Amino acid sequence: MRYWHGHGHMDGWGVGLMAFGTLLFLVIVVLLAVALFRYLSHSRQPMPPGRATPGAGGSGPGGPPGWGRDGQGRPGFQGVPPEQLLAERFARGEIDAEEYRHRLETLRSANRPGGG
């Protein structure tokens, strides 16, 4: 790095290209850091009912697109039975076996006639 043109110094073009290269490198590093941060902080799972912020969704009050109300006016994920959502949470390890069984029994008792 000592001898740029055989004279031991850089001319104007050398300084300009070095500054441009440094700025370009810094811009790339910042863009990669932002992309990594957004990738790591982005959640791909829908928020469960009751935890969504009202008005935050794209398909109506109460949550992200796909969330809405079932035919009886209860909040839930459209088209996916609650038992399936519960089973998926258990499979992902979000809840343990005891909590899964308790919640499943609660869901089933709520769906029985006269169960609430």
Side-chain angles (χ1 to χ4, degrees):
M1 245 182 163
R2 186 171 164 216
Y3 297 101
W4 290 90
H5 286 110
H7 305 292
H9 68 279
M10 284 191 290
D11 61 1
W13 282 104
V15 173
L17 289 174
M18 183 178 251
F20 177 76
T22 303
L23 287 175
L24 183 64
F25 175 77
L26 289 175
V27 166
I28 290 171
V29 167
V30 168
L31 289 175
L32 286 174
V34 169
L36 181 64
F37 176 77
R38 291 182 68 170
Y39 175 76
L40 293 177
S41 66
H42 181 59
S43 175
R44 292 181 181 86
Q45 300 171 1
M47 292 176 63
R51 296 176 77 186
T53 305
S59 66
W67 287 93
R69 298 197 173 269
D70 64 5
Q72 299 173 354
R74 296 179 300 217
F77 197 76
Q78 296 172 351
V80 180
E83 290 88 356
Q84 182 179 344
L85 291 175
L86 186 62
E88 289 172 3
R89 290 188 63 201
F90 177 62
R92 285 191 299 263
E94 294 177 13
I95 58 175
D96 60 12
E98 182 180 341
E99 186 174 357
Y100 171 75
R101 284 190 292 270
H102 174 72
R103 290 179 181 228
L104 186 61
E105 180 59 34
T106 302
L107 282 172
R108 288 180 176 166
S109 67
N111 289 334
R112 286 187 205 132

